Amino acid sequence: MAGTTAPIIFILEPFGGSLRRHNASLPSLFWDDAAVTRGDGIFETLLVRRGRVCNEERHARRFEASARELGLPAPDLDYWRGATREALAAWVAERGEDAEGKCVWTYTHGRASTGYPSAWLTITEIGPEQREQREHGVRVLTLPRGFTVDEQAREWMATGAKTLNYAAAMSALRYARARGCDDVIYTHGAGEQARVLEGVTSTVIAVKKNGKMRTPTPGGTVLHGTTQAALFDAAQAAGWRCKAKDLTVADLLAAESVWLVSSVRLAARVTSLNGEKLPAPANEAEIRELIEKAVAGINPPRG
Ligand code: PLP
């Protein structure tokens, strides 16, 4: 469990309605929930700062799209936002305005015996490992993802959804840790010409010379990252030239710096890739600040 104090848990009604604070020392899920038996559900993880969630609109839009892809009833986003406000009020009352946290929205196909979806949200502390990786970066191993998704498969596979199915991701992390690394970048193919896809729980950013930022084109098996989107908007406004395009492992090795970005860890600089050291760039502080400002300060207009 992240942190040492009890998480804040709220149980939601999937079609809107009442909201219930749940006692964290009691169980809340049934044995036949699709989340437990199949990983059949969706989630969003949002950073909590200064008593609010960051980058909320992008998360809400992806949550809605994920639900659509998995055939879940459309979530009532105003209800989810309201539930989030209540949980945040409890968080601030219990931990104070300055406590940084992690808010997770979860929505599943529910119990096999009732067919009624399940929905809940939590706010927990951020683990020491994530803080440490923010500060000191990550040693990364590239691993072939092992499958590709063609047009036909895309029609049914819900590859754009942020689903609960992370068993392969956890397996990849265990494999990397057993080899002295902290994180994994999935690739298509092997060797330096392999195409870069994404981190197991993050988006890859390559920072090049002359104010350029690149990220692998999202879609297919690459999740649309909310942090990357916020970063590119902020970086472009600050004069950077940002583009989503195919990248190879060789491109990462040649970049000025490489980052794994995601909602809670924010930005972890890749300090080595397959054992090859990637030295810190001169503009490390500038890039960190851009990411911090991008996610903590921006709520783009609803669209
Ligand atoms: N890609 C994958 C597979 C992820 O699991 C995540 C985050 O959990 C990301 C990318 C980064 O997404 P975000 O920036 O929205 O947190």
Side-chain angles (χ1 to χ4, degrees):
M1 190 179 86
T4 51
T5 38
I8 285 166
I9 304 174
F10 276 84
I11 309 291
L12 282 78
E13 287 295 332
F15 300 105
S18 68
L19 185 67
R20 178 167 61 82
R21 174 95 188 250
H22 183 76
N23 180 339
S25 36
L26 295 174
S28 60
L29 273 184
F30 283 97
W31 65 276
D32 62 345
D33 195 286
V36 178
T37 57
R38 305 277 190 220
D40 194 5
I42 60 168
F43 75 109
E44 282 296 322
T45 302
L46 301 88
L47 177 65
V48 173
R49 274 206 176 159
R50 290 184 291 278
R52 50 186 285 258
V53 285
C54 301
N55 213 3
E56 182 179 354
E57 279 312 306
R58 286 195 182 84
H59 283 289
R61 278 185 232 141
R62 190 172 63 190
F63 195 57
E64 200 172 31
S66 296
R68 197 163 43 241
E69 277 208 55
L70 251 63
L72 282 159
D76 176 345
L77 290 177
D78 283 339
Y79 171 63
W80 280 87
R81 287 189 191 100
T84 305
R85 299 286 95 77
E86 276 214 37
L88 286 167
W91 175 258
V92 169
E94 288 166 32
R95 314 292 169 89
E97 180 92 20
D98 291 336
E100 215 184 21
K102 166 177 157 177
C103 176
V104 180
W105 297 351
T106 309
Y107 184 29
T108 87
H109 275 287
R111 298 190 65 185
S113 52
T114 64
Y116 194 69
S118 305
W120 67 93
L121 69 80
T122 59
I123 306 183
T124 55
E125 289 173 1
I126 296 177
E129 191 181 55
Q130 286 190 306
R131 291 184 190 283
E132 153 92 16
Q133 293 182 351
R134 265 186 201 167
E135 209 174 315
H136 300 295
V138 282
R139 294 158 298 178
V140 169
L141 187 68
T142 60
L143 289 178
R145 175 159 248 161
F147 65 93
T148 53
V149 180
D150 62 18
E151 279 305 314
Q152 260 184 318
R154 209 165 294 173
E155 272 185 33
W156 64 268
M157 214 188 215
T159 51
K162 187 165 162 68
T163 75
L164 294 168
N165 179 1
Y166 272 64
M170 296 303 103
S171 201
L173 283 181
R174 279 190 294 272
Y175 184 90
R177 282 174 190 151
R179 285 153 185 81
C181 288
D182 311 297
D183 214 326
V184 167
I185 292 178
Y186 288 130
T187 58
H188 177 49
E192 290 203 2
Q193 289 317 309
R195 190 155 69 83
V196 172
L197 299 173
E198 61 182 349
V200 286
T201 60
S202 58
T203 307
V204 178
I205 306 285
V207 178
K208 307 196 354 164
K209 287 200 170 59
N210 308 324
K212 289 185 192 162
M213 273 187 210
R214 300 286 179 257
T215 193
T217 315
T221 62
V222 179
L223 188 74
H224 284 265
T226 60
T227 314
Q228 172 271 320
L231 169 63
F232 273 25
D233 276 1
Q236 249 151 226
W240 289 76
R241 280 172 295 153
C242 303
K243 213 186 252 178
K245 62 179 276 208
D246 286 352
L247 291 172
T248 62
V249 171
D251 291 327
L252 297 189
L253 291 170
E256 214 170 42
S257 59
V258 180
W259 300 78
L260 296 182
V261 302
S262 54
S263 298
V264 170
R265 195 174 57 180
L266 286 180
R269 191 176 72 75
V270 179
T271 56
S272 76
L273 190 65
N274 298 332
E276 190 161 327
K277 281 211 160 49
L278 303 186
N283 59 359
E284 179 159 8
E286 181 193 352
I287 292 163
R288 273 184 199 289
E289 202 185 314
L290 258 180
I291 294 169
E292 292 271 334
K293 275 197 189 147
V295 297
I298 287 183
N299 258 335
R302 292 184 191 181

